[in-house]
Amino acid sequence: MMKKVDCYEKILRDLSHRVGATDQRLIGKALEQGSTLDDDEMTATKAYPTRLSTIYPGAVEDDNSDGETQVSARAGSTGSVDHITEDFNQSLATRVTGFMGKNSELRWMQRLKKETTLSSDLNDEAVPMLQTDADGNSTSPLPDVPGAGITPINESTYHCDDLTILIPDRVDPNEVPPRQIADALFQMYLDTVHPSFPIIGKLNFINQYQKFLEAPNIDTGDRWKAILNLIFAIGAKYSHLVQAEWRGDERDHLIYFTRARMLGFNADSVLGHSDLQRVQITGLMSFYLTAINQINRAWTMSGIAIRHACTLGLNLKNESKDIYESSKEIRYRVWWALCSNERLIAVMTGRPASIMDVDCSVPLPLPLDEDQFFSVKTPDFNRHTIQLLRRYSSNESQNTDNAVSSPSSAQSAISGSSPSAMFPPDSQPPNLDHNQVVPPSHGLYFHHHTKLSVLTSEVVSRLYGVSRTTQSWAQAQSTIAALASELQKWHSALPSVFDFTKKQRDLQFHRQRVSLGFFYYSTVAILSRPCLCRLNRRIPNQSDRSKDFNRSTAVKCVEAALGMLDLLPEEPNPVGLYGVAPWWCLVHHLVQAVTLLMLELSFRSDHLPQRVDDILLAAKKTVRWLRSMSAEDLSARRAWAMCNDMLRKVAPKVGRNVDDLPVDSFMYEHGPADGVFDLYPVASNPEYMESFDSFIDLPQGRTEDMSIQQPPIFTYYDEFLTQIPYPGRPS
């Protein structure tokens, strides 16, 4: 009889891959009837291999050793990362979302939805330990296919990939907004985005921008205007979030983006050879698409930008004597800006990054603002001082408080007559010590931001990469501990002016502190997430040391989510928050944090029972924030609808309710993807595809008088990174 049941279950699992989402769920419910074991995303259609010998032949195992050395790293919440259980080409809905890896908050939300389908009477004591046969293989049915309690990933997304980025109107690519609007959009970009994403040479571009607006008919080249329009698009999106009085209509950012595509990413340019402007166009496009939550498209554009950059060798240290040191530094920052954006999208999607750090030799960005290493007061600054700063950048900071002095004293050191006012003579040891001063600046912020980005990449690749399937759980624990130590070192080396864990009166770098706080807590959460599950019962004969590690790491995961949400005021004020936080990925961070808290609640606060009320209050606070942000952000409204619904389902598991949360009947009647926020039709609509085809390849409409008689400031070579001369250029 059991053989027949097993045969029937196998047939049902096979059928679940060939039917639609509704039938998948029906099959899943049928499969769940005979299984109460919570598998926490283990292997989908086969028994979970608990012994390493089932992962790779020839593995040597000690039967007397602790259980954590006998089971694979799949025991953690990540489960199997070397195969998929959905057909992502099945329908338009699955294609617009695509594959999402285990470190994505969408997969965490998918996991949370499965938790809520388990019987409300089920508790940890009622769930048996993983059952194994004589060879150590699991004998318990562990369905983990869509329909077996796991909803398709496209039902757990808040992103806006289902909306089109095309507009049905004709667009003049050469149109320029009024000077006052242009200045406001440009300044918003420089203030809020450039410090974290320095993909342009700021001083040089400001100079070009001013000359362009003074003589709009100057022949700048289409790609330069594409870059400008992308900056306008990003600024326009931000202007809506902060509800600027002068903002345009709700689609103005799409109009700027369309102009940029017509100028710099049309049919001819797509297949063009790489240059610095193409790197910046595609990088800015990716950033803009991230900001409007078109994550799939952002992922694609980021990959193209990385390819262009590698073609130019931007991932390698440049020792050419024909390029100024200042220009090299700007190129390094372009590279690190691309990497930062790529890693952010990799975290959001759970997909592998386009390039690994082992393929890069480019030095870390200098801890200085651009105007400091372009200083004309110290002619030898670019040679001597930059070399010393390179040594600083390549080593960990020696301490926290002494790495940075007050802005006034440090600035006076840099503005001195020679680098000796800031650095020791050549006779001193080459490495900077704790007595040397590096002033707080946007450059110093980006330096530490880049270091954190590198650590985040390492966390994702070492814990969520396919190669980890050959590790034991004990090895995974060692990896987590080592990376946690590196993160702690990063935080300890953080200058006090950027320390987000301290209450500070300084407002000059408030935005930088908050941004580092969000990114840091996000990385800690990803690092410790594998332990936030019902882990201990899956590892027979586990040592007490391992159990303690699992619990303490799970606690750190929840505390990271709480720490992130502590960065938010109690009363929602989206306009104020957008002004000091990384607004382009803010919804991502909030969903990431609240999903972890709801997962802990779904486990009946097993890891932090004494803080169950704090966890619930923080989750409710986040839901209120998402609802408040919904007025100007569709992705926030979708996230609010999803999180509000899930919190109402998990709160009873800890004997609480959320009746004090507002209920919006509109969302429950129409769903998160409907309503007035869907301003643009879906990209699959043939009518609008025809409309797009009719205008995208229109002639540029340029007249003969656009090129006026004056010396060109936009040269073909290094058009976007033209140099500001300084004495003593190397021959």
Side-chain angles (χ1 to χ4, degrees):
M1 183 64 181
M2 289 300 297
K3 289 184 178 180
K4 285 187 177 181
V5 172
D6 291 341
C7 181
Y8 295 153
E9 287 187 352
K10 184 178 184 302
I11 292 174
L12 284 174
R13 291 192 187 98
D14 290 340
L15 287 174
S16 68
H17 294 286
R18 308 175 189 176
V19 298
T22 302
D23 291 333
Q24 284 181 345
R25 284 192 291 272
L26 291 174
I27 293 174
K29 289 180 180 179
L31 290 170
E32 281 186 328
Q33 296 298 317
S35 175
T36 59
L37 181 64
D38 170 27
D39 59 278
D40 265 298
E41 300 190 27
M42 295 188 220
T43 306
T45 59
K46 59 183 179 180
Y48 173 59
T50 60
R51 297 179 68 87
L52 290 179
S53 58
T54 65
I55 302 295
Y56 51 94
V60 178
E61 298 180 4
D62 181 1
D63 291 335
N64 297 320
S65 61
D66 296 327
E68 62 269 21
T69 66
Q70 302 294 319
V71 300
S72 83
R74 296 178 183 179
S77 68
T78 54
S80 297
V81 294
D82 58 352
H83 64 266
I84 58 176
T85 58
E86 288 188 53
D87 179 5
F88 297 104
N89 193 46
Q90 185 179 43
S91 65
L92 177 62
T94 57
R95 289 194 295 273
V96 298
T97 302
F99 165 75
M100 293 288 165
K102 296 294 180 71
N103 59 276
S104 168
E105 72 272 16
L106 301 192
R107 289 299 294 267
W108 301 352
M109 180 61 70
Q110 185 187 49
R111 179 66 215 161
L112 177 63
K113 288 185 175 182
K114 170 151 187 167
E115 285 294 327
T116 63
T117 66
L118 298 177
S119 171
S120 60
D121 297 328
L122 186 64
N123 54 46
D124 289 345
E125 288 73 22
V127 180
M129 173 127 2
L130 186 69
Q131 300 299 311
T132 59
D133 59 21
D135 294 326
N137 297 324
S138 169
T139 59
S140 304
L142 296 171
D144 189 22
V145 295
I150 296 291
T151 60
I153 193 65
N154 60 284
E155 295 184 13
S156 298
T157 185
Y158 59 90
H159 299 311
C160 299
D161 295 287
D162 57 317
L163 304 184
T164 185
I165 54 174
L166 311 179
I167 55 177
D169 301 324
R170 293 180 179 270
V171 173
D172 179 4
N174 295 303
E175 186 176 348
V176 180
R179 178 66 184 262
Q180 186 176 4
I181 299 298
D183 287 347
L185 294 174
F186 189 31
Q187 193 62 50
M188 280 187 162
Y189 173 88
L190 292 178
D191 290 344
T192 68
V193 174
H194 183 75
S196 298
F197 188 66
I199 198 169
I200 63 172
K202 180 180 176 180
L203 296 182
N204 192 54
F205 194 84
I206 289 176
N207 179 50
Q208 294 174 340
Y209 168 79
Q210 291 172 343
K211 292 185 178 181
F212 170 70
L213 289 188
E214 291 169 1
N217 291 332
I218 188 174
D219 185 7
T220 64
D222 288 346
R223 292 202 295 275
W224 187 90
K225 287 192 289 186
I227 293 169
L228 180 62
N229 274 283
L230 287 167
I231 290 174
F232 287 160
I234 295 170
K237 176 60 180 177
Y238 179 72
S239 73
H240 288 285
L241 294 178
V242 297
Q243 301 176 32
E245 293 182 359
W246 48 265
R247 67 189 184 275
D249 66 28
E250 67 278 358
R251 64 176 188 170
D252 61 342
H253 59 92
L254 278 177
I255 293 176
Y256 292 125
F257 178 71
T258 300
R259 289 174 184 159
R261 285 197 302 110
M262 296 173 71
L263 291 165
F265 203 70
N266 52 39
D268 293 332
S269 63
V270 168
L271 296 178
H273 294 298
S274 301
D275 58 40
L276 286 168
Q277 287 190 329
R278 282 190 171 89
V279 171
Q280 290 153 332
I281 289 171
T282 49
L284 283 164
M285 280 186 169
S286 177
F287 188 95
Y288 166 77
L289 292 167
T290 301
I292 64 171
N293 262 279
Q294 293 273 351
I295 302 302
N296 248 348
R297 294 181 172 105
W299 165 260
T300 300
M301 293 308 302
S302 179
I304 295 174
I306 293 289
R307 292 283 187 179
H308 280 313
C310 289
T311 300
L312 299 178
L314 297 188
N315 59 312
L316 302 175
K317 182 179 180 181
N318 194 321
E319 296 186 349
S320 170
K321 294 182 179 180
D322 297 326
I323 304 176
Y324 295 109
E325 288 296 324
S326 52
S327 181
K328 292 178 184 178
E329 174 61 20
I330 292 178
R331 296 186 189 197
Y332 294 155
R333 295 187 182 201
V334 169
W335 171 256
W336 287 118
L338 294 176
C339 287
S340 175
N341 184 61
E342 170 77 2
R343 288 160 179 162
L344 172 63
I345 301 173
V347 167
M348 297 173 73
T349 62
R351 300 169 189 169
S354 299
I355 192 167
M356 303 301 294
D357 291 318
V358 294
D359 300 315
C360 307
S361 62
V362 59
L364 289 171
L366 293 176
L368 294 176
D369 284 342
E370 187 177 326
D371 56 347
Q372 292 171 323
F373 60 80
F374 269 132
S375 173
V376 296
K377 296 181 180 180
T378 55
D380 56 342
F381 185 85
N382 285 43
R383 281 288 196 87
H384 182 77
T385 306
I386 285 182
Q387 290 176 1
L388 290 173
L389 280 169
R390 289 274 176 246
R391 296 169 185 167
Y392 170 87
S393 299
S394 62
N395 292 279
E396 295 292 337
S397 300
Q398 299 298 315
N399 59 44
T400 303
D401 294 327
N402 293 325
V404 174
S405 69
S406 64
S408 58
S409 62
Q411 184 62 43
S412 64
I414 278 202
S415 300
S417 60
S418 73
S420 61
M422 179 177 174
F423 296 103
D426 289 337
S427 59
Q428 294 293 325
N431 292 332
L432 300 181
D433 61 38
H434 65 277
N435 293 317
Q436 294 160 349
V437 177
V438 177
S441 63
H442 291 148
L444 183 61
Y445 155 74
F446 186 63
H447 174 83
H448 289 280
H449 172 84
T450 299
K451 283 187 174 181
L452 180 58
S453 175
V454 171
L455 283 174
T456 302
S457 177
E458 190 172 1
V459 167
V460 172
S461 63
R462 292 182 62 182
L463 286 180
Y464 297 88
V466 173
S467 61
R468 60 165 290 280
T469 57
T470 61
Q471 293 181 337
S472 69
W473 177 245
Q475 290 174 314
Q477 289 177 318
S478 297
T479 300
I480 292 173
L483 292 171
S485 176
E486 291 300 311
L487 274 173
Q488 183 57 46
K489 289 180 182 177
W490 175 89
H491 183 255
S492 298
L494 198 64
S496 59
V497 72
F498 296 137
D499 192 347
F500 44 85
T501 62
K502 300 178 181 178
K503 293 186 179 296
Q504 302 190 41
R505 294 183 179 180
D506 170 76
L507 297 179
Q508 182 180 3
F509 297 102
H510 183 49
R511 179 183 290 116
Q512 284 69 38
R513 278 196 301 275
V514 174
S515 295
L516 288 175
F518 274 109
F519 293 129
Y520 172 79
Y521 287 124
S522 172
T523 303
V524 174
I526 295 170
L527 173 63
S528 49
R529 168 68 176 107
C531 292
L532 186 64
C533 61
R534 296 186 179 95
L535 179 60
N536 290 338
R537 70 168 185 263
R538 298 197 213 125
I539 307 177
N541 305 318
Q542 185 179 197
S543 68
D544 292 338
R545 180 185 64 257
S546 177
K547 292 179 181 179
D548 291 342
F549 179 89
N550 296 343
R551 176 171 288 275
S552 64
T553 304
V555 168
K556 290 178 182 177
C557 185
V558 178
E559 289 179 340
L562 292 171
M564 186 187 299
L565 299 177
D566 282 342
L567 298 171
L568 306 177
E570 289 301 321
E571 292 300 321
N573 176 17
V575 173
L577 183 62
Y578 286 132
V580 298
W583 58 268
W584 54 92
C585 58
L586 191 54
V587 175
H588 152 69
H589 286 307
L590 297 189
V591 174
Q592 192 180 46
V594 74
T595 303
L596 292 173
L597 297 185
M598 291 190 292
L599 275 169
E600 176 65 5
L601 292 175
S602 73
F603 299 144
R604 292 173 174 79
S605 198
D606 177 61
H607 305 98
L608 277 171
Q610 72 279 12
R611 298 197 63 183
V612 60
D613 290 322
D614 293 338
I615 294 171
L616 183 62
L617 284 174
K620 289 161 65 175
K621 169 181 158 182
T622 311
V623 170
R624 289 192 179 97
W625 267 96
L626 288 171
R627 185 177 188 272
S628 182
M629 294 162 62
S630 298
E632 295 291 342
D633 191 343
L634 173 59
S635 63
R637 187 167 183 86
R638 291 179 169 186
W640 169 76
M642 186 166 54
C643 295
N644 181 56
D645 180 58
M646 296 309 301
L647 186 56
R648 294 178 185 277
K649 292 179 179 179
V650 300
K653 291 198 171 191
V654 290
R656 308 295 195 275
N657 64 69
V658 290
D659 294 339
D660 55 331
L661 285 179
V663 178
D664 195 329
S665 59
F666 176 85
M667 292 303 300
Y668 291 104
E669 292 173 4
H670 300 281
D674 301 326
V676 296
F677 287 87
D678 285 344
L679 299 172
Y680 313 107
V682 294
S684 60
N685 190 324
E687 178 182 349
Y688 286 96
M689 289 301 292
E690 280 184 21
S691 177
F692 171 71
D693 291 337
S694 68
F695 75 78
I696 188 62
D697 288 325
L698 285 177
Q700 302 291 321
R702 177 174 297 164
T703 57
E704 294 181 358
D705 62 350
M706 287 195 69
S707 180
I708 61 178
Q709 297 298 319
Q710 69 176 64
I713 62 170
F714 301 85
T715 59
Y716 182 76
Y717 176 72
D718 270 10
E719 296 159 290
F720 194 51
L721 297 179
T722 51
Q723 313 303 321
I724 296 179
Y726 70 95
R729 179 182 180 182
S731 57

